[in-house]
Amino acid sequence: MTRHRTSGAPPSPSTAGTFARTYARVVAGRRTKWAVLVLWVLLIGVGGSLAAKLGDVQNNEAETWLPTNAQATRAVKIAEDYFQDKGRVGAVVVYAREDGLTDVDLAKVNADRQRFVANSLAAADVPPVTVAADRKAAFLSVPVKSDQSDNSVLGDGVKRLRDAAGQDAPAGLDVKIAGQAGNIADFIDVYSGMDGALMAATLGLVAVFLLFTYRSPILWLIPLLSVGLASQVASAVVYLLAKHAGLTVNGQSAYVLVVLVLGVGTDYALLLIARYREELHRQEDRHEAMEYALRRCLPAITASAATVGIATICLVFGSMNSTRGLGPVVALGVVIVYFAMTTLLPAFLVVLGRWVFWPFTPRYSADHVDSSAEKEHGFWARVSGFVGRRPRPIWIGATLVLVALAFGAMSLSTGQTQAEQFTKKVDSVAGQDLIARHFPAGSSAPADVYVKDGGATAALAVVQQVPGITSASTIATKNGWTRIEAVLKDAPDTQAARSTVEHLRTALASNQGEAKSAVVGGQTAVALDTSDAQSEEEKLLIPLILAVVLIMLIILLRALTAPLVLLLSVVLSYTAAVGSAALLFHAVGHPRIDRGLLLFGFLFLVALGVDYTIFLMTRAREEVGKRGHRDGVLTSLTVTGGVITSAGLVLAATFSVLAAIPTVASLQQGLLVAVGILLDTFIVRSLLIPALALELGPRFWRPGHPERAKADRSIVSPAEPARLG
């Protein structure tokens, strides 16, 4: 005989800790809910104005994106400290004519050199023109003013340079802006105006999915508004810490902050609202319904937030400065969205009442039966029944599918070149093609060797003898340091050029005297050191994040077997996502990736995907304590299936929007995360994990015994299936 919890009867104290009870009671209290809302109104009032200033404290200087102790980073520092290179980025203005440059063309080039300096388009003197041996092309190296806190300075500078170079150009003369400044300006141009468009598209997609999920013209606004306000407060807190506590924020961390807050906030909102709606069928008083719903959701949401927060904090152990700065920023965002979704959202819902669910308003009835509640879980009841009938073939089949997809990762290749960074042809890429066609490919971005004056002569002799270097010369001596420019035979973003830089460093290090301590920098050195640092980060951070996930699952589930099984599923899901994405990259014509995609794809997929595992297994442990292992696992799949699937679809849609940005990195990141989330949602969480739990039986929870827990059996209601499968 099943007992029911009567209206107004408080749940048994054994079902939740004192903290959870007090927390939920304050948030959902008849009077205290107003205090919660007033607190958030104050936070939002202050945060709204400060959030807009986050861009003012971003530090996008070169050092913030480079490996902490790499030679390339030291070279940037030397250039800024001793050669006054700070605030300047090199552009290369390329002039080409396929049938050969005319005297009029060369006169135009030399006139441009004088014009660039006279009109302050160049931030320093412009070296003499370099003409190709075939006399079909020439280029000018032009330093352009930049401001790392304001990208528009560089973007506008390159635009003015392009306009000036194109002015009065003889017919048939091709003029392009290449070099580092040209490349950065193309990225600025590509992303210009995209922030608002992407945010609008993302919010639009989320709104559509929430509208479809809730089938209410009103309810979808509540979680969307709550997440948006949480994002504003998070940005404000990060701004204050960056302004007054030295927290490093760059463009990447600011962007990731918004995406993660939106993702995890929506997940938490979907979970809480789904549980609240369940309780409204059983409770006449909405305050008590929310109190119980929040108490039951709090362990899962807390575990999720703690896992994501601690996992991202692990990034401070990374090699890249950009990685190290990302961890604290994202962790702060997760903490703030956690409190928003467990205070602001529930208080908001309680204040508004049941009518926000209209037209499918959950109604309380004396016998606690509501046909709409049963109908909501109808599809997932059938899915759980299917899993319950054939768990072994299902988990074996799901595993084989994921393993097969993982083999696609073997087709993945790193070392993305500049020409492969955009999904459309841009000026800097076209300019680099012209340089590679008529000059030694490395002419536009030579390696820079910095050495103390005492070792300059020896260092120059060594550099000139290194294979892969076409020429080397001393170009500046300042403040006791000499700068040697080494032109590479190969394009600066190729593996061959990176090998040349490695040989150059080895040759210098094997020398005697001050030449031994020479530092090699430049575009190729940056790419080499970045790739090496990213490889080291993967080896350290991926196991560290997995260890965090394992520990949190052990604490949450009070078991060892289940967390180990779940951890293996996380690894399998990630490798299958990488393999699937690799096949898609080939299909869309962009097979090569930047190495950093692997770590950040892992971070997104684990940090966001683990939410679904936690939501499922927390509910499973609760239901096992009431119904026994088999029925508990299947019931948890039934009642969480809809909310987790909705969360997965929302998140996948959110990241798919990135494909609209015409950069390969954005396209690949969007595809990787979207595919990974969908695999985790529809295969891992819906089939693999429940089937494995049934296969292992009660051993799944060892050494714990949730079936022996002192469960409050009075909360079982016919609205939840008693037996499935």
Side-chain angles (χ1 to χ4, degrees):
M1 181 71 179
T2 302
R3 293 183 295 162
H4 311 295
R5 177 160 50 89
T6 58
S7 174
S12 168
S14 62
T15 63
T18 303
F19 171 78
R21 289 199 306 274
T22 304
Y23 191 95
R25 199 167 292 157
V26 169
V27 171
R30 286 176 173 79
R31 295 185 180 86
T32 51
K33 66 178 183 289
W34 296 107
V36 171
L37 289 178
V38 168
L39 174 62
W40 274 100
V41 167
L42 294 175
L43 290 174
I44 293 162
V46 176
S49 59
L50 295 179
K53 298 181 180 180
L54 184 58
D56 297 342
V57 295
Q58 288 185 24
N59 180 3
N60 291 310
E61 294 184 1
E63 295 95 325
T64 68
W65 297 92
L66 297 176
T68 305
N69 299 313
Q71 274 202 43
T73 309
R74 289 158 53 200
V76 170
K77 188 67 174 172
I78 292 171
E80 292 180 350
D81 291 347
Y82 298 102
F83 292 86
Q84 290 78 50
D85 278 359
K86 191 177 182 68
R88 297 202 299 258
V89 179
V92 179
V93 186
V94 189
Y95 305 81
R97 186 185 292 274
E98 283 306 311
D99 55 357
L101 295 173
T102 66
D103 291 341
V104 175
D105 294 336
L106 291 174
K108 155 72 174 170
V109 175
N110 284 297
D112 279 354
R113 180 192 174 208
Q114 303 301 323
R115 182 190 305 172
F116 295 159
V117 175
N119 295 344
S120 300
L121 299 174
D125 290 339
V126 178
V129 60
T130 301
V131 181
D134 62 8
R135 296 190 63 81
K136 292 183 178 181
F139 70 78
L140 292 170
S141 296
V142 183
V144 179
K145 184 179 179 181
S146 69
D147 185 338
Q148 301 295 349
S149 64
D150 185 357
N151 286 332
S152 66
V153 173
L154 177 62
D156 292 344
V158 171
K159 184 179 184 301
R160 292 171 57 218
L161 187 67
R162 181 179 290 114
D163 292 342
Q167 184 179 347
D168 302 325
L173 182 66
D174 197 4
V175 183
K176 303 292 182 185
I177 308 295
Q180 185 181 5
N183 184 247
I184 295 172
D186 283 336
F187 271 104
I188 293 172
D189 183 60
V190 161
Y191 283 99
S192 178
M194 289 297 293
D195 288 350
L198 281 176
M199 181 60 71
T202 302
L203 291 176
L205 275 174
V206 172
V208 168
F209 275 100
L210 290 176
L211 186 61
F212 177 79
T213 299
Y214 294 132
R215 295 165 293 167
S216 167
I218 304 162
L219 181 59
W220 65 274
L221 284 167
I222 311 306
L224 204 61
L225 179 61
S226 300
V227 172
L229 294 175
S231 177
Q232 291 294 296
V233 175
S235 296
V237 172
V238 171
Y239 164 78
L240 289 173
L241 292 175
K243 182 77 172 177
H244 303 291
L247 180 65
T248 300
V249 183
N250 58 29
Q252 173 185 264
S253 55
Y255 162 75
V256 173
L257 170 68
V258 173
V259 174
L260 266 182
V261 165
L262 181 64
V264 299
T266 302
D267 285 353
Y268 300 162
L270 286 166
L271 179 68
L272 178 62
I273 292 174
R275 193 64 186 257
Y276 177 48
R277 180 157 52 183
E278 283 186 45
E279 294 307 319
L280 286 174
H281 290 303
R282 305 182 189 127
Q283 283 288 347
E284 187 173 8
D285 188 298
R286 66 181 188 275
H287 296 85
E288 293 185 5
M290 177 57 78
E291 179 186 337
Y292 187 76
L294 182 56
R295 284 176 53 187
R296 279 308 198 184
C297 289
L298 201 59
I301 296 177
T302 302
S304 171
T307 301
V308 177
I310 297 173
T312 53
I313 281 292
C314 291
L315 297 182
V316 300
F317 299 109
S319 304
M320 300 284 293
N321 285 331
S322 54
T323 304
R324 293 158 70 97
L326 178 63
V329 172
V330 175
L332 280 169
V334 170
V335 169
I336 290 167
V337 79
Y338 163 79
F339 282 111
M341 295 302 102
T342 58
T343 56
L344 173 62
L345 176 63
F348 206 1
L349 287 168
V350 171
V351 167
L352 294 175
R354 294 174 185 261
W355 69 271
V356 297
F357 290 90
W358 183 88
F360 299 97
T361 307
R363 302 295 183 187
Y364 166 76
S365 59
D367 58 0
H368 306 284
V369 177
D370 188 282
S371 60
S372 65
E374 293 175 339
K375 185 177 179 181
E376 285 175 9
H377 300 310
F379 171 77
W380 286 101
R382 292 191 293 273
V383 172
S384 65
F386 170 68
V387 173
R389 287 190 295 272
R390 296 179 174 271
R392 182 170 298 174
I394 288 174
W395 77 258
I396 292 175
T399 300
L400 290 176
V401 168
L402 294 173
V403 170
L405 291 174
F407 276 103
M410 298 175 65
S411 66
L412 209 59
S413 58
T414 59
Q416 193 177 80
T417 65
Q418 179 181 338
E420 296 168 332
Q421 291 176 343
F422 298 90
T423 58
K424 65 178 184 179
K425 197 75 168 183
V426 294
D427 209 44
S428 61
V429 172
Q432 184 60 42
D433 289 344
L434 290 175
I435 293 172
R437 195 180 309 161
H438 300 288
F439 297 89
S443 298
S444 65
D448 295 316
V449 180
Y450 299 94
V451 61
K452 292 287 184 65
D453 287 346
T457 302
L460 178 60
V462 170
V463 173
Q464 291 172 333
Q465 298 301 314
V466 174
I469 293 179
T470 61
S471 65
S473 59
T474 300
I475 62 167
T477 300
K478 293 182 180 179
N479 302 313
W481 284 83
T482 295
R483 178 178 177 178
I484 299 172
E485 187 176 88
V487 178
L488 307 180
K489 174 184 176 182
D490 302 289
D493 51 8
T494 61
Q495 185 56 49
R498 296 182 189 184
S499 297
T500 299
V501 169
E502 287 181 319
H503 294 153
L504 175 58
R505 287 174 170 174
T506 301
L508 288 167
S510 63
N511 219 283
Q512 301 298 321
E514 292 193 35
K516 185 175 184 178
S517 59
V519 176
V520 180
Q523 181 179 333
T524 304
V526 167
L528 172 63
D529 291 344
T530 298
S531 179
D532 289 344
Q534 288 169 338
S535 178
E536 292 300 315
E537 284 184 335
E538 291 169 17
K539 296 173 184 176
L540 171 66
L541 295 179
I542 288 179
L544 189 58
I545 292 171
L546 287 175
V548 168
V549 172
L550 177 62
I551 292 170
M552 295 306 298
L553 288 173
I554 290 173
I555 294 172
L556 176 68
L557 301 177
R558 285 165 280 175
L560 185 58
T561 303
L564 288 172
V565 170
L566 298 175
L567 190 72
L568 290 175
S569 75
V570 167
V571 174
L572 181 58
S573 177
Y574 172 69
T575 54
V578 172
S580 303
L583 298 176
L584 286 175
F585 297 162
H586 280 274
V588 298
H590 302 290
R592 205 186 305 270
I593 67 167
D594 177 79
R595 187 64 183 253
L597 177 69
L598 297 177
L599 176 61
F600 286 100
F602 178 84
L603 177 66
F604 276 115
L605 289 174
V606 171
L608 299 176
V610 78
D611 284 355
Y612 310 146
T613 297
I614 288 175
F615 295 167
L616 173 67
M617 299 317 299
T618 303
R619 188 62 181 264
R621 197 178 194 284
E622 174 188 338
E623 297 296 337
V624 166
K626 296 185 291 184
R627 308 173 186 276
H629 177 73
R630 175 183 169 80
D631 287 347
V633 169
L634 294 177
T635 297
S636 68
L637 175 58
T638 298
V639 297
T640 64
V643 63
I644 295 178
T645 300
S646 297
L649 290 173
V650 167
L651 200 58
T654 298
F655 276 90
S656 68
V657 173
L658 296 179
I661 301 175
T663 64
V664 174
S666 296
L667 171 68
Q668 291 176 336
Q669 186 180 55
L671 287 176
L672 173 59
V673 177
V675 168
I677 291 295
L678 292 177
L679 286 175
D680 193 78
T681 301
F682 290 103
I683 296 181
V684 177
R685 192 272 313 162
S686 299
L687 301 175
L688 178 62
I689 291 176
L692 277 173
L694 294 179
E695 176 76 9
L696 292 172
R699 294 173 297 173
F700 186 72
W701 305 102
R702 286 181 179 173
H705 300 281
E707 290 181 297
R708 300 177 185 174
K710 295 179 179 178
D712 177 14
R713 298 187 180 275
S714 65
I715 64 176
V716 179
S717 126
E720 299 172 331
R723 296 193 62 83
L724 298 164

